[in-house]
Each structure stands twice: as C-alpha cells, then as structure tokens.
C-alpha cells in the first residue's frame, strides 16, 4: 500500500507542470461521468452533488487567501505601498486534484444502485443554476468591491524588451 501511495504521489508531482493535459484529463473524466448518467438515465442526485462540490471548489479557487472584509485591505491603495500578488485560498493544483478525485468518486458511485435515488431532475437542475448564479454574483461583487482579479496570464511581455534601439547597439538585435 505504501508503494502504491508513493507511486501515485510521484506521478502527481510530475504532473504539476503540465496544466493543459491535467485539465484535459479532468474534462474527459467529467464527460465520461455525464455520458454514464445519460446512458443509465439515473444517478441525478450524484450529478447534483458533484455540481455543488465543483462549485464550492471553484469559489474557493476564486477567493483570496485573506478576506479583505476580515483582515482589512491587502492590496496596495497607494503607489508607495508594497505590491502583494493575489494568493488563492485553493491553489490551482489542489483545485484540479479535488475536482478529479470528486469526479472519479462519482463515477464509482454510479456502479452502485443504492446511490440511484429517484428524483425529478429538472428541479435539481433549476436549483443548481439558481444557486450557481447567486453564488457567482456574490463572488463577482466581492471581487469588484475589493478590486482584485484572480486570473493572471503570467508575466507581462513587452514588445521590444531587451532590444536596443539606439545607434550604439547593445542589447539584443531586432533580427532575433
């Protein structure tokens, strides 16, 4: 058992830098789950539970580590203050891992009839969308109020960074 845990941890550690393939694998698992629910025409309560679980993780992913309502403003208000980058309550890798584990658990649950509770699925779907939109509205209002953006696309890349445009040369040439 310890060797299996070490092997799993080894592959998880190796996958940390491969963001695109990890999320593609998660989306593939999610499609398998929804295909299974569609083919069996059951397990709607499991799908609803997975949706709530994924929504909860997504909100934690979008939320800052320190809530400005409780600890005061953390981002600089003046240009003289120190810049602090956005720190998430749930980092991207842990978000992916929780979502993948939850989806795998729900796939396994669809093979046991005790989890196939008869429900009227349109009501669950409508309730999920109401819950989703109300929660996201609250989260976006919180982001707007405290002026933070949880999405970054890496470092800024400038057009002529490192290129010397004067007659004395130096720096990189424009031919590169």
């Amino acid at each position: 058992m310890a060797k299996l845990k070490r092997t799993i941890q080894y592959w998880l550690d190796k996958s940390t830098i491969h963001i695109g393939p990890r999320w593609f694998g998660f989306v593939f698992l999610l499609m398998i789950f929804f295909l299974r629910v569609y083919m069996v025409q059951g397990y709607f309560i499991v799908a609803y539970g997975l949706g709530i679980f994924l929504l909860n993780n997504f909100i934690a992913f979008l939320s800052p580590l320190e809530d400005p309502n409780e600890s005061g403003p953390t981002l600089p208000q003046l240009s003289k203050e120190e810049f602090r980058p956005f720190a998430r309550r749930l980092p991207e890798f842990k978000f992916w891992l929780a979502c993948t584990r939850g989806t795998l658990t729900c796939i396994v649950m669809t093979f046991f009839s005790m989890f196939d509770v008869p429900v009227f699925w349109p009501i669950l779907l409508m309730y999920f969308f109401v819950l989703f939109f109300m929660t996201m509205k609250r989260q976006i209002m919180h982001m707007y109020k405290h002026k933070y953006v949880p999405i970054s696309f890496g470092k800024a890349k400038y057009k002529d960074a490192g290129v010397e445009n004067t007659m004395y040369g130096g720096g990189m040439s424009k031919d590169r």
Side-chain angles (χ1 to χ4, degrees):
M1 191 64 157
K3 186 176 180 180
L4 177 65
K5 285 184 180 181
R6 271 196 315 266
T7 304
I8 291 171
Q9 189 61 50
Y10 171 79
W11 287 107
L12 284 174
D13 291 343
K14 293 208 49 102
S15 73
T16 52
I17 60 171
H18 304 288
I19 296 170
R22 278 193 286 118
W23 283 102
F24 179 76
F26 165 70
V27 169
F28 181 72
L29 282 175
L30 203 59
M31 287 174 29
I32 288 175
F33 171 72
F34 284 118
L35 181 66
R36 170 102 175 115
V37 168
Y38 176 75
M39 297 298 281
V40 175
Q41 287 295 309
Y43 300 99
F44 299 117
I45 198 78
V46 175
Y48 175 75
L50 178 62
I52 296 297
F53 178 75
L54 294 177
L55 177 63
N56 189 31
N57 282 327
F58 185 61
I59 294 299
F61 175 72
L62 291 179
S63 299
L65 182 62
E66 297 176 8
D67 190 8
N69 288 335
E70 297 171 5
S71 63
T74 58
L75 294 177
Q77 301 297 323
L78 303 171
S79 61
K80 297 174 186 166
E81 292 182 34
E82 178 185 355
F83 171 73
R84 294 184 196 163
F86 182 77
R88 299 179 187 285
R89 189 165 40 134
L90 183 65
E92 183 270 334
F93 183 77
K94 289 185 178 181
F95 176 46
W96 168 80
L97 188 60
C99 293
T100 303
R101 283 181 177 164
T103 305
L104 283 171
T105 302
C106 287
I107 289 173
V108 170
M109 289 171 74
T110 62
F111 290 100
F112 297 99
S113 62
M114 65 188 227
F115 296 113
D116 190 12
V117 179
V119 293
F120 187 60
W121 67 267
I123 297 293
L124 281 181
L125 189 64
M126 183 184 71
Y127 183 65
F128 175 77
F129 281 124
V130 167
L131 189 65
F132 175 81
F133 288 118
M134 286 175 46
T135 306
M136 289 308 297
K137 178 184 174 193
R138 188 188 74 208
Q139 185 67 29
I140 290 170
M141 295 294 286
H142 188 270
M143 290 164 47
Y144 182 74
K145 177 182 176 187
H146 296 290
K147 298 180 178 87
Y148 67 90
V149 179
I151 300 168
S152 69
F153 299 102
K155 295 171 94 175
K157 295 179 180 129
Y158 300 100
K159 182 179 174 187
D160 288 331
V163 176
E164 184 68 40
N165 292 325
T166 64
M167 61 186 225
Y168 297 111
M172 294 178 8
S173 67
K174 280 204 175 223
D175 298 334
R176 285 187 173 177

